[in-house]
Amino acid sequence: MAYYTSVLATWTDLMSCLDLRLLPSPPRDPTSAPLDGSACVFEGSNQRLPHQRLFGGQLLGQFVRAASLIRPDKSVKSLHVLFVREGKSDVPLHYTVEPEHDGRSFATLTMTARQRGRTIATCMASLHSAEDGREHQSARAAVPMPGPQSRVHLDLLPWETRSVTDLDDPAAQPAEYELWMRTPGAGNVLGPALIAYATDLNVVGTALRPLDGFDHRGNGTAFTSASTSHTVWFHRPFDTEDWLLLRHFGTVIAHGRCFGRGDVLTADGALVASFAQEALLRFHQ
């Protein structure tokens, strides 16, 4: 019962974070350049996490929501985010959104997340009006979904998840990780934000798998890691209430950083999104 109560609380908390509030006028440093008249600012709540730091996935989800609210006639096509500095969970976030281009088919937005006037993350978002065309994909089909015995609990993902791979295993393994997920009813509008949120969680853990004796639980003790940049591309419409496969690949660890990428597929194998992430990864002596 305590587990389900915790999951429900995390889900309610996340839904609150994705409910951005449009401010009547942007709070800004009076010494900075004035904002363009078409710019607007949203305020967002933060997840209540025990370590008092912002989870990068929250920022990704809120960037998607801000873009969707500004251009509801188009769908978010891609999101390119740079994490500038660590954010705090006890300080509200303000998202300044500035339109760069708004055409018949495409739109581009520049967004900046700030706390107390300091930039936490920057984002370029591209949006696209749906249109028909030929289709082809080279991503391999989804593997059969594991049964209920393969359920896993990931604290930051408040929905059902399954995997046959144990990211807590410190034994050296290939740098791949497949995670199935489906959310409670959230509607198609929130789907892209939820997927963007989920893609931030397991890239570093996947990149660590080939290193014997290390796993994702060592952050802060065996190593220090933090996302530095993250990109998500959305290819096709999808529904997060249906099962989706997040397929992760850890590509390289070098010079105090790691890089990984991944795909999101439906149960019948349609590639609906892709993602890539670079992160700080410093090993302690």
Side-chain angles (χ1 to χ4, degrees):
M1 181 62 69
Y3 163 74
Y4 290 106
T5 301
S6 173
V7 169
L8 178 59
T10 305
W11 172 257
T12 303
D13 194 24
L14 178 55
M15 289 296 98
S16 176
C17 291
L18 296 180
D19 185 18
L20 301 182
R21 300 171 293 280
L22 181 64
L23 298 183
S25 60
R28 65 180 183 88
D29 183 346
T31 63
S32 64
L35 295 171
D36 181 87
S38 60
C40 63
V41 175
F42 292 96
E43 184 177 73
S45 303
N46 298 319
Q47 292 175 287
R48 295 184 291 271
L49 303 177
H51 45 64
Q52 301 300 310
R53 298 193 308 273
L54 292 183
F55 171 48
Q58 176 199 308
L59 290 156
L60 294 172
Q62 289 175 326
F63 274 130
V64 172
R65 288 298 298 139
S68 300
L69 290 168
I70 289 296
R71 292 292 179 267
D73 57 318
K74 295 180 174 67
S75 300
V76 177
K77 175 181 71 67
S78 61
L79 199 74
H80 312 274
V81 176
L82 291 177
F83 296 104
V84 177
R85 56 172 54 90
E86 181 180 282
K88 302 298 183 181
S89 61
D90 59 346
V91 181
L93 273 166
H94 293 108
Y95 290 87
T96 303
V97 184
E98 299 184 73
E100 303 293 348
H101 169 72
D102 190 11
R104 287 175 295 180
S105 296
F106 291 91
T108 304
L109 304 172
T110 299
M111 296 183 282
T112 305
R114 295 185 176 92
Q115 285 184 324
R116 292 175 176 160
R118 302 182 72 197
T119 298
I120 303 300
T122 63
C123 174
M124 288 290 291
S126 178
L127 298 91
H128 182 216
S129 296
E131 57 183 88
D132 295 327
R134 296 185 181 183
E135 293 193 8
H136 170 75
Q137 69 177 57
S138 58
R140 70 176 189 265
V143 296
M145 186 179 62
Q149 73 279 2
S150 297
R151 287 182 177 175
V152 294
H153 174 52
L154 302 174
D155 290 338
L156 288 170
L157 300 186
W159 47 70
E160 188 174 1
T161 50
R162 299 181 188 181
S163 179
V164 297
T165 300
D166 184 7
L167 272 188
D168 294 342
D169 185 356
Q173 301 287 340
E176 298 184 5
Y177 180 60
E178 295 192 335
L179 178 73
W180 287 91
M181 59 162 274
R182 65 175 176 182
T183 72
N188 293 334
V189 172
L190 292 180
L194 293 173
I195 283 297
Y197 173 90
T199 62
D200 187 54
L201 187 60
N202 294 309
V203 175
V204 174
T206 303
L208 285 167
R209 295 198 74 213
L211 304 185
D212 190 45
F214 291 91
D215 64 74
H216 68 112
R217 295 171 300 173
N219 190 14
T221 54
F223 59 87
T224 298
S225 69
S227 300
T228 56
S229 61
H230 196 103
T231 296
V232 185
W233 297 267
F234 298 101
H235 311 306
R236 296 182 172 109
F238 57 87
D239 190 338
T240 59
E241 294 180 52
D242 298 327
W243 283 104
L244 295 171
L245 171 63
L246 276 66
R247 179 178 284 156
H248 303 72
F249 303 95
T251 307
V252 63
I253 297 175
H255 294 282
R257 305 187 307 272
C258 71
F259 172 81
R261 59 184 178 82
D263 295 324
V264 182
L265 301 102
T266 63
D268 59 5
L271 180 65
V272 297
S274 300
F275 57 95
Q277 182 185 88
E278 183 196 60
L280 165 75
L281 184 58
R282 291 179 180 147
F283 292 92
H284 300 171
Q285 296 298 321

